[in-house]
Amino acid sequence: MAKVSFDRHPDQYRHWHLRVEPPIAWLELDVDEQGGLVPGYELKLNSYDLGVDIELYDAVQRLRFEHPEVRAVVITSAKDKVFCAGANIRMLAASSHAWKVNFCKFTNETRNGIEDATENSGQVYLAAVNGSCAGGGYEIALACDRILLVDDNSSTVALPEVPLLGVLPGTGGLTRVVDKRRVRRDRADVFATRPDGIKGRTAVDWRLVDELVPRPDFRAVVTRRALEAAARSNRPEDGRGIELAPLERTETADAIDYRHVSAALDRDLGVVTITVRGPGDGGWLLAMTRELDDLILRLRTNEPELGTWVFRTEGDPEAVLANERVLLDANDWLSTEILLYYKRTLKRLDVTSRSLIALIEPGGCFAGVLTELALACDRQYLLDGPPIDDEDSAERACVVLSDANFGVFPMGNGLSRLESRFYGEHDHLDWLKRERDRRLEAADAVELGLVTDAPDDLDWADEIRIVLEGRGALSPDALTGMEANHRFVGPETVETKIFGRLSAWQNWIFTRTNAAGPEGALRRYGTGQKANLDRKRV
Amino acid sequence: MAKVSFDRHPDQYRHWHLRVEPPIAWLELDVDEQGGLVPGYELKLNSYDLGVDIELYDAVQRLRFEHPEVRAVVITSAKDKVFCAGANIRMLAASSHAWKVNFCKFTNETRNGIEDATENSGQVYLAAVNGSCAGGGYEIALACDRILLVDDNSSTVALPEVPLLGVLPGTGGLTRVVDKRRVRRDRADVFATRPDGIKGRTAVDWRLVDELVPRPDFRAVVTRRALEAAARSNRPEDGRGIELAPLERTETADAIDYRHVSAALDRDLGVVTITVRGPGDGGWLLAMTRELDDLILRLRTNEPELGTWVFRTEGDPEAVLANERVLLDANDWLSTEILLYYKRTLKRLDVTSRSLIALIEPGGCFAGVLTELALACDRQYLLDGPPIDDEDSAERACVVLSDANFGVFPMGNGLSRLESRFYGEHDHLDWLKRERDRRLEAADAVELGLVTDAPDDLDWADEIRIVLEGRGALSPDALTGMEANHRFVGPETVETKIFGRLSAWQNWIFTRTNAAGPEGALRRYGTGQKANLDRKRV
């Protein structure tokens, strides 16, 4: 299959119209039936595939950076009588297990990004449901701050996955219904087993939507609600947007190179070595984050057999700290957006089904924001000695902590990565705080618990080789499950429940004959034949 | 396959020795290699199957009820150099997916019961690890309050599931390591990928065990720690145990009958109707709970095709309230134990992969403790009218709330079932509190949100039939996933993480070719052949 690219621009959207009328932006879904990312299905009834969602992701990102003047975003449909029918069923039925899981992960991240924009950027999302709204379509609405449903005696909201397809509403649906919108669980049960959905007053009474609007008034009421949301937004009035220019990327069979990020693909070992270079100029963190984000998405989608990602850095720790200091002190909308974007990109790593290893070597710059990258990894190795290829050098590897490591980039569980690493150890966290802005070389880094091991230069090459070969020999599935359980300690949120609980159940169901087998509900949907179900409860 | 029975008595244990030396009880694992529950494997190295764990469950239960004088319980091994090798791999490799999942659920519940005894009954469990301790063996230790490891330069603790079998340490292992024992996540990663485990000082430094004891001192130090734990226990000194006499149970092809509980099995519809009869005497709640517990376990294990359980009650609501009042006011060890046991039995329902429906009819007694049973269900239907077979009767169905519904029986998430049902709605919960001890008939029950629907006597039969037939037509897997997501809103605990996150990932991995396929790691273990793994990360 051709590699999937995540490069998009509103001028070339096939499925969305983005119209900016400050303080409101209108994001209208108008799926091109013939515009599927992969051949073999038609995107009828505003149903979506990964390609539709990549455009949505692009739009959400651009609104945040290019349109500071936007304070409310309305998601609606450009089609008559249908808002969105959800993920395309033919596409799901024909997809491999890995594709389905990766698709769901990306769409989940985009929905979380919508909530992040609402909560942290003062760009409040509203769903203007102007027609039938089912499955993943309703899950888009659930990610919005307010859901308005047209009252035309036919438009419904529905989660028909369980009754029609034998799978879950897995893009946050089940979780957001009971945990975010606090629908009573017995009503949630009725709702999610009813293929025809719920409309009118009951939808409001059950809290499935916030407001019911007669069709003639729909546009006016939606506009009024958007203006009200915009008026409440704390987004500054005077920002000037910056353009997200196309990424410069060079790709060969075994390498993907950007300006600040490079990836070397070792297909024999199943390892990608990702090198992040420190800052040269003030725009570094945004540029680097965009590159890293793009790389994560491309590797996840296009290189499933490369199971271990090794993170390295090159550059001057002081330059990283100086660069991040400007952003941390700035307190303007753009700096906030950049930090939020880096937060979301780190969160992508937290839910990435790859083993993540940080190598901390002389000449590297794991400081502040980049230390956060090391802390997102499953393990951290620090070379205790001179550079491997220059044994006379006095240069030594170090880690530097900064304010950036104490709450600027919370994980999905609401904790910083240091709070997760040292869960409940308040004294130790206080100690770490006192060690900010200091070069922590091998002995310090070990004592402070910031690294897994610190082999000396004689052992380094062997130990890292053994780690990488050993990892490559383990079951990829068991590693994915293990990492998903280790990475999130302590409290849970809607977000961690979606990735940890809902997704895990969905992945299981996706493997089951009752859904994905030749006679399963997902495969038989629309064929006129009933699914042949194994009735055993497991 | 023969039906599995959960009837056990210490006199007939094949795999455990229970020795009571107040205030300590010694529970020694001494697995009979030839004593597997199912033919086809030998239980070598103190490895266990469901039969071994049913005895453990019986012992934990009896200690709580029959031995109030016990204030500390030591789990150790009667075999030289091996504590426990975990779940038997041959058994797992040969088992169906459903059997594996059900087995893991029961063992998880038993581990949680050990923690419940430690925390709430003043029977503190200690693991005296006197030999190698791997996988499920270490997971038993993790459920204990304190882990003592013999320091003999060979005994290790290990979680070798990922590297050796390609599955997870799914009986709480991954979760308890990072969330309960707060092992740093990079160390947890190293530990859970290392087949040989960790011993000696490192095991203590990493918090995998609490204490290292030289072999000659082992018995003495374990005894001292148990006596110290007993001294701290708040268990009353003067209790007299009560015997858990054998259950009286009549079983036919389509019915299981006990004194207070009856189950009618409808194999065509895939429904079990469970009728709980209200109290006749003071021992009712304990007797009824034992019967209900036994019934849940038997149905889960032996009747996987009966996917919907319908709960009914018969009796006088006032009698239920009078009966529970005695227990709630008693404040003695036995009343506490009975309430804790009922709590654990309700929790079994919360994690049971069956659709649960409560039918509230005239003549029923859904009051207090039994209302809790209705609230554990996915839906509640109340008949608004006279009894179906006696239309002239003035009797009406009702629900009664009592103190028992406001925190006595918390779910795994730490919330009462009413707090879960009305998550975050404090005013509504206050209102419900004011309605205690009142017969809430149809209109009240609907207004208070206690029932899903209240059909009248003309609609009742049809509506219930449609609900049950409709449920039976849905994919059993999708229902299981949906219910597991709806039942636990709000906060999460180690317990809900184990059932929601860890188990869901484990179930997924159990379905994967890399584990359970003919060339998968679980099936190939011990054959001398390496597993043939699909390297794609999903």
Side-chain angles (χ1 to χ4, degrees), chain A residues 22-100:
Chain A
I24 305 175
W26 299 84
L27 201 42
E28 290 186 343
L29 184 59
D30 190 10
V31 175
D32 174 359
E33 286 193 9
Q34 304 306 319
L37 191 66
V38 175
Y41 49 84
E42 296 186 333
L43 295 172
K44 295 196 174 168
L45 295 171
N46 260 2
S47 63
Y48 61 83
D49 68 354
L50 182 59
V52 177
D53 229 70
I54 291 173
E55 291 185 2
L56 174 59
Y57 174 57
D58 185 77
V60 173
Q61 284 290 95
R62 286 187 193 275
L63 282 168
R64 296 177 81 156
F65 283 99
E66 301 189 346
H67 296 286
E69 74 279 14
V70 167
R71 301 153 76 85
V73 183
V74 177
I75 298 187
T76 190
S77 161
K79 290 196 161 57
D80 257 2
K81 303 221 166 155
V82 58
F83 175 78
C84 172
N88 186 273
I89 296 162
R90 293 266 162 283
M91 177 277 295
L92 283 177
S95 297
S96 70
H97 181 63
W99 182 272
K100 283 200 280 284

Side-chain angles (χ1 to χ4, degrees), chain B residues 103-118:
Chain B
F103 165 70
C104 289
K105 185 170 288 172
F106 179 76
T107 54
N108 266 320
E109 290 171 322
T110 304
R111 309 299 170 271
N112 290 345
I114 286 173
E115 290 186 329
D116 187 57
T118 296

Side-chain angles (χ1 to χ4, degrees), chain A residues 97-98 101 162-163 166-168 174-175 178-179 182 184-186 188-190 192-193 207 304-305 307 353-355 375-380 421-425 449 451-452 471-490 492 496-497 499-502 504-505 507-509 511-512 514 533-538, chain B residues 97-98 101 162-163 166-168 174-175 178-179 182 184-186 188-190 192-193 207 304-305 307 353-355 375-380 421-425 449 451-452 471-490 492 496-497 499-502 504-505 507-509 511-512 514 533-538:
Chain A
H97 181 63
V101 170
V162 170
V167 301
L168 300 183
L174 295 182
T175 308
V178 291
D179 268 285
R182 302 188 175 180
R184 229 172 62 202
R185 64 173 267 214
D186 58 327
D189 183 285
V190 171
T193 52
R207 296 197 202 142
E305 303 217 351
S353 59
R354 302 290 189 281
S355 298
L375 293 170
C377 289
D378 299 301
R379 299 189 192 178
Q380 301 76 24
R421 188 177 181 89
F422 302 103
Y423 180 49
E425 295 184 56
V451 297
T452 312
R471 203 73 175 187
L474 300 179
S475 161
D477 306 324
L479 287 176
T480 294
M482 182 189 79
E483 290 154 3
N485 279 281
H486 280 158
R487 288 178 186 172
F488 296 94
V489 298
E492 301 265 339
T496 62
K497 282 185 173 191
F499 285 118
R501 174 188 296 264
L502 182 58
W505 281 107
N507 291 356
W508 174 69
I509 291 165
T511 66
R512 301 281 290 163
N514 279 341
L533 299 175
D534 177 350
R535 303 248 53 99
K536 277 199 286 299
R537 287 291 289 247
V538 174
Chain B
H97 181 63
V101 169
V162 171
V167 301
L168 299 184
L174 295 181
T175 308
V178 291
D179 269 287
R182 301 188 176 182
R184 229 173 60 203
R185 64 173 264 212
D186 58 327
D189 182 285
V190 171
T193 53
R207 298 197 199 142
E305 303 217 354
S353 58
R354 301 291 189 280
S355 298
L375 293 170
C377 290
D378 299 301
R379 300 189 191 176
Q380 300 76 24
R421 188 177 181 90
F422 302 102
Y423 180 50
E425 294 183 57
V451 296
T452 312
R471 203 74 175 185
L474 300 180
S475 161
D477 306 325
L479 286 176
T480 295
M482 182 189 79
E483 290 154 3
N485 279 281
H486 279 159
R487 289 177 185 173
F488 295 95
V489 297
E492 300 266 338
T496 61
K497 282 185 174 193
F499 285 118
R501 175 189 295 267
L502 182 58
W505 281 107
N507 291 356
W508 175 68
I509 290 164
T511 66
R512 301 280 291 163
N514 279 339
L533 299 175
D534 177 350
R535 302 248 54 97
K536 276 198 288 299
R537 288 290 289 249
V538 175

